[in-house]
Amino acid sequence: MTHADLPATRHDFLLASLAKPGDSHTLPGEAPSIITKVEEGIDFNFRRRVLIYTETSGPVPIDYSPRAYIPVTPA
C-alpha cells in the first residue's frame, strides 16, 4: 500500500491562494510536481484566479479559484 492508496486528509490540501514556489502539487493519477511559479490575477469575467506553474506543466498554468482547496504539500 502506498500513500496514493490511502484516503486524503485535510492536511493534504491547501487553499490555492496560499500555495508558493517550492511546494509539491499532486494531480489525481499523476506523480507529484514542484510548483515553480504562482500568479494571482483577474479573468475576463472579473473573477479572481490563481495560476500555478509546475515542473510538469511547463509554460501552461493550472487555473484555480483562490478559495479552492488543492492537493499541495508545503515545502
Side-chain angles (χ1 to χ4, degrees):
M1 180 178 274
T2 65
H3 178 67
D5 299 326
L6 300 173
T9 67
R10 66 183 180 93
H11 300 293
D12 294 330
F13 295 89
L14 184 69
L15 281 171
S17 59
L18 298 178
K20 56 187 177 300
D23 292 347
S24 176
H25 180 268
T26 307
L27 290 174
E30 295 184 13
S33 183
I34 302 299
I35 295 174
T36 56
K37 185 164 87 171
V38 178
E39 294 180 349
E40 291 194 29
I42 298 174
D43 67 6
F44 292 115
N45 294 321
F46 299 103
R47 292 180 299 180
R48 291 182 54 217
R49 305 307 295 165
V50 174
L51 301 177
I52 295 181
Y53 297 84
T54 64
E55 292 173 342
T56 56
S57 73
V60 180
I62 304 167
D63 183 14
Y64 290 109
S65 164
R67 294 176 300 205
Y69 281 92
I70 60 174
V72 169
T73 304

